Amino acid sequence: FDSTPYHWLPMVARSSTLLAICVAVSVVFVLSQRGPKAIGSTYATSSQLAKNPVACSRRSLGRMRDASAHAISRRQAISLIAGSAPAALIWQHNAARADTEAVSGSPSGISKVFVAGATGNTGKRAVDYLKNKYPDVKIIAGVRSLEKAKKLGIADGNVELVQFDVTSPEKDLEKAVSGVDAVICATGFVPGNPFEFSKLAHAVDNEGTIKLVDAAKNTGVKKFVLISSILTNGREIGQEKNPGFVITNAFGGALDEKLVAEKYLRKSGLDFTIVRPGGLKDAAPSGSLVVAREDTTFTGEISRDRVAQVLVEATFDRKASQKVIEIIEEEKAEAASSDMFGAIA
């Protein structure tokens, strides 16, 4: 599992089965905007779809490619389509000065951290950052495939591999997190059969996360850090017609499922931090890290490396307690504070 629902779109787009879904998504967006004029060059009009749905589906995907010619992804769905600028820019940190100097001991009394989804694109980066920045902290890497984890080189130094699947019974999850001080949840459904998107999103992003929250609570975990997504609460904040929200939620209702898990964590009694990144990119960090309050960021992208950094730092920083933050990168950000978490009310 990976942490967010967009990164797998290039893989799925290669399947001819998805073409019908692309058509449906485009039609939904047309209706949501009450006419083709509001669509612009990114989307095909309804009449074009009727004449040649396959060509229009391919064209819609193609036009959403960025300068590097990558296929549609979570990053582009949010950063290229959503047009409004993020609000409440709180904190910026130049990528060239990222703090990676090793810290000795166990900050905040946390000496053992469980990373769920440790072979995912973001989860693996969180493990790597933990190893480098906090070498005295024991890391338990929860992975579905031990073989994949070994090939990725995750199991070295202070890292222990544990076979783990959030769709497993809760007693198995309790066994996996037993004895740890903190959990970083970097799981997210990866679709296979398009007709099972909703089932998978519900099982992983909703029920799976909730079971992990319960397991953490039942075993005395001190801190729970969850990666989610901007626009998760889109319906409540008037962003249900935001193209980024429409397109993402068309794939299994992933944002709706994530929101259920978010709300459950917030009411669980656990010390938590929910991190909502913008569109994820595999490239190295660039520009400044911008941290904002919840429900204020509607577009933007961010390096997975930087997301991993924020996840880990939120685990140890007491000022991140009981907070929901939204993060993106910008070349020219409006900084207001030097304190990543303390500036968020």
Side-chain angles (χ1 to χ4, degrees):
F1 301 117
D2 204 344
S3 54
T4 48
Y6 305 84
H7 70 280
W8 37 257
L9 286 177
M11 171 189 69
V12 180
R14 288 193 291 268
S15 169
S16 59
T17 308
L18 184 65
L19 292 176
I21 296 178
C22 294
V23 174
V25 172
S26 298
V27 171
V28 168
F29 181 69
V30 171
L31 294 176
S32 71
Q33 296 296 324
R34 297 182 182 178
K37 291 183 179 179
I39 300 173
S41 61
T42 302
Y43 293 92
T45 65
S46 57
S47 61
Q48 290 172 322
L49 285 167
K51 292 177 181 178
N52 195 340
V54 172
C56 287
S57 297
R58 289 173 176 163
R59 205 157 45 237
S60 294
L61 290 175
R63 286 172 179 169
M64 294 170 67
R65 293 175 181 174
D66 62 9
S68 61
H70 290 140
I72 180 174
S73 64
R74 173 185 190 275
R75 168 191 175 190
Q76 293 159 317
I78 288 183
S79 66
L80 295 183
I81 305 174
S84 57
L89 303 183
I90 301 298
W91 186 83
Q92 73 173 14
H93 184 276
N94 190 282
R97 299 176 312 188
D99 182 12
T100 55
E101 183 177 348
V103 174
S104 61
S106 303
S108 302
I110 293 176
S111 60
K112 186 183 266 189
V113 177
F114 181 87
V115 180
T119 56
N121 289 323
T122 304
K124 182 182 182 301
R125 285 169 166 84
V127 171
D128 290 341
Y129 186 85
L130 266 169
K131 286 193 296 186
N132 295 328
K133 181 72 180 288
Y134 299 98
D136 294 333
V137 173
K138 178 70 176 179
I139 304 167
I140 309 297
V143 301
R144 284 191 301 161
S145 171
L146 295 175
E147 182 180 356
K148 179 181 178 181
K150 291 174 182 177
K151 287 181 178 179
L152 290 173
I154 293 176
D156 63 359
N158 56 338
V159 180
E160 176 186 342
L161 295 181
V162 173
Q163 198 148 24
F164 172 84
D165 189 327
V166 288
T167 63
S168 299
E170 188 176 318
K171 61 181 179 61
D172 293 338
L173 304 190
E174 290 183 1
K175 181 178 179 181
V177 301
S178 179
V180 307
D181 300 307
V183 169
I184 296 176
C185 182
T187 60
F189 98 99
V190 177
N193 184 341
F195 297 103
E196 294 187 352
F197 283 4
S198 295
K199 177 182 177 181
L200 290 170
H202 183 72
V204 176
D205 293 318
N206 182 335
E207 290 184 342
T209 303
I210 287 174
K211 284 192 296 182
L212 185 57
V213 169
D214 285 339
K217 188 173 181 178
N218 293 341
T219 55
V221 169
K222 299 175 183 177
K223 178 78 180 192
F224 197 106
V225 179
L226 173 66
I227 181 172
S228 186
S229 173
I230 64 172
L231 293 174
T232 301
N233 198 31
R235 297 189 192 281
E236 295 296 323
I237 58 174
Q239 293 296 313
E240 67 275 9
K241 293 184 179 180
N242 181 313
F245 179 87
V246 173
I247 289 178
T248 305
N249 232 29
F251 293 89
L255 294 179
D256 291 334
E257 301 292 359
K258 286 179 177 293
L259 182 61
V260 174
E262 279 191 17
K263 290 180 177 179
Y264 190 85
L265 174 59
R266 296 175 79 155
K267 295 179 180 179
S268 68
L270 287 170
D271 182 8
F272 71 86
T273 304
I274 297 171
V275 178
R276 295 175 174 174
L280 300 178
K281 57 182 181 180
D282 292 331
S286 61
S288 298
L289 170 63
V290 178
V291 183
R293 294 186 296 273
E294 63 179 305
D295 299 335
T296 60
T297 306
F298 310 138
T299 182
E301 61 185 33
I302 186 169
S303 167
R304 290 181 186 273
D305 291 331
R306 198 161 237 163
V307 174
Q309 176 187 358
V310 174
L311 291 172
V312 173
E313 296 302 340
T315 304
F316 298 101
D317 193 332
R318 289 191 174 93
K319 285 178 285 189
S321 177
Q322 311 298 109
K323 290 182 179 179
V324 180
I325 63 170
E326 298 180 341
I327 56 174
I328 59 171
E329 287 174 331
E330 281 198 348
E331 293 301 324
K332 297 180 180 179
E334 300 175 18
S337 173
S338 59
D339 188 344
M340 186 191 302
F341 302 111
I344 305 296

